[in-house]
């Protein structure tokens, strides 16, 4: 039973829920605590690092993408009290997101010969573009995943890279602003071992999330043993969540005891 879902996105980045809708979605899923971890920005609706909203404990969080050698990683900050430095960096990132979003939209429109019903703005992510492609009556795409696979994935013809901070800068910014800083979805990266090695500078790592990919020679191995070994080696908190961009929460997350270990740090 999932007690806490610590990875949820809202309309402030590329999710579909508003902040006010999060508690009802959590209650529907039987979830008692949620972390709102919008991409590269803290939701302005928070007045404290942790708030009670509609009978649900809601944690102010952020998911920050950083450059870490040969790959990019996503850091999760929980219990955010924004500092001036974090605000300045997220504002810079949002300016870059607007420019990057405009370039991706133009690339997709040129590739498909259509005009999409989406505008570049702060908080814009590739899922917004993918959903717009699916919704367009003159395209044949039925799912956002297909749009990523064909057009806007990292190797796609319409992809445009973002300008993100380096790992050390990201860790410093989040450590100064957050109660807990962790690595998101560690098995999702091209080199999970290198990603997990970076956890020596962090407090936590996501152990529970719904899209682990197999690693190693055993197809049945979902990689959790690799993450668990890093937790032991670096004395990390185990976190987790659905990485929800829609209304369905509680697919993955923490039980009450595991959440209590995180909560005491916030």
């Amino acid at each position: 039973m999932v007690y806490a879902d610590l990875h949820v996105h809202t309309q402030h980045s590329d999710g579909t829920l508003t902040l006010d809708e999060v508690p009802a979605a959590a209650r529907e899923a039987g979830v008692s605590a949620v972390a709102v971890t919008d991409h590269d920005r803290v939701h302005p609706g928070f007045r404290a690092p942790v708030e009670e909203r509609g009978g649900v404990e809601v944690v102010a969080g952020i998911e920050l993408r950083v450059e870490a050698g040969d790959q990019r990683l996503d850091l999760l900050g929980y219990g955010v009290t924004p500092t001036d430095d974090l605000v300045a960096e997220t504002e810079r990132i949002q300016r870059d997101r607007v420019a990057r979003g405009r370039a991706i939209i133009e690339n997709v429109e040129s590739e498909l010969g259509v005009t999409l019903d989406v505008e570049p703005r702060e908080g814009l992510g590739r899922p917004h573009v993918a959903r717009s492609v699916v919704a367009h009556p003159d395209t044949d795409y039925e799912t956002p995943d297909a749009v990523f696979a064909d057009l806007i994935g990292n190797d796609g013809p319409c992809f445009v890279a973002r300008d993100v901070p380096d790992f050390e800068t990201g860790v410093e910014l989040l450590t100064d602003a957050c109660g807990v800083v962790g690595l998101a979805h560690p098995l999702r990266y091209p080199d999970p071992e290198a990603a997990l090695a970076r956890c020596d500078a962090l407090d936590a790592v996501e152990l529970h999330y719904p899209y682990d990919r197999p690693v190693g020679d055993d197809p049945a191995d979902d990689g959790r043993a690799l993450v668990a070994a890093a937790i032991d080696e670096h004395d990390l908190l185990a976190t987790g969540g659905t990485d929800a961009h829609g209304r369905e929460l509680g697919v993955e997350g923490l039980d009450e005891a595991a959440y209590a270990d995180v909560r005491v740090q916030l």
Side-chain angles (χ1 to χ4, degrees):
M1 182 68 179
V2 172
Y3 181 87
D5 188 335
L6 300 186
H7 198 155
V8 174
H9 298 281
T10 73
Q11 290 180 4
H12 198 55
S13 61
D14 56 353
T16 60
L17 292 172
T18 67
L19 182 60
D20 289 340
E21 291 171 333
V22 168
R27 291 194 305 269
E28 290 171 10
V31 171
S32 298
V34 170
V36 171
T37 54
D38 284 321
H39 292 287
D40 303 314
R41 63 198 316 210
V42 180
H43 199 293
F46 284 101
R47 298 294 176 264
V50 183
E51 300 178 355
E52 190 279 328
R53 288 174 171 262
V56 175
E57 193 162 79
V58 184
V59 178
I62 183 173
E63 184 173 6
L64 184 69
R65 180 153 295 179
V66 296
E67 194 81 52
D70 294 335
Q71 59 187 348
R72 291 184 170 191
L73 307 179
D74 293 316
L75 301 178
L76 290 167
Y78 304 107
V80 184
T81 300
T83 62
D84 290 344
D85 287 344
L86 180 60
V87 170
E89 180 61 12
T90 56
E91 289 178 348
R92 183 199 68 78
I93 291 170
Q94 294 309 317
R95 292 192 294 272
D96 178 70
R97 271 189 175 273
V98 173
R100 184 234 196 178
R102 180 178 295 109
I104 291 177
I105 292 167
E106 290 174 353
N107 288 350
V108 172
E109 289 179 336
S110 176
E111 183 80 12
L112 299 181
V114 299
T115 300
L116 298 178
D117 186 20
V118 61
E119 296 291 335
R121 60 170 176 78
E122 291 188 357
L124 183 77
R126 284 180 289 173
H128 293 108
V129 179
R131 290 194 287 261
S132 182
V133 171
V134 172
H136 197 286
D138 295 329
T139 71
D140 296 326
Y141 289 94
E142 296 182 356
T143 67
D145 285 347
V147 180
F148 269 84
D150 284 358
L151 298 174
I152 61 174
N154 290 0
D155 297 323
C158 301
F159 175 73
V160 178
R162 289 168 46 202
D163 181 12
V164 302
D166 61 50
F167 177 84
E168 291 76 16
T169 298
V171 170
E172 182 178 1
L173 288 169
L174 294 186
T175 298
D176 289 345
C178 304
V180 171
V181 182
L183 177 67
H185 39 66
L187 303 176
R188 200 177 189 192
Y189 307 114
D191 189 345
E193 290 85 355
L196 287 165
R198 295 273 185 169
C199 288
D200 64 352
L202 305 177
D203 308 309
V205 63
E206 279 196 315
L207 177 61
H208 309 287
Y209 55 97
Y211 43 80
D212 283 354
R213 63 174 179 82
V215 296
D217 297 328
D218 182 1
D221 177 17
D222 69 359
R224 290 180 190 241
L226 186 66
V227 182
I231 289 171
D232 290 340
E233 179 181 358
H234 301 299
D235 192 25
L236 303 170
L237 293 166
T239 63
T242 302
D243 197 358
H245 290 75
R247 189 174 185 84
E248 186 180 14
L249 276 56
V251 176
E252 278 282 9
L254 303 183
D255 62 23
E256 187 170 2
Y259 176 63
D261 292 337
V262 176
R263 178 65 177 87
V264 73
Q265 304 294 326
L266 304 181

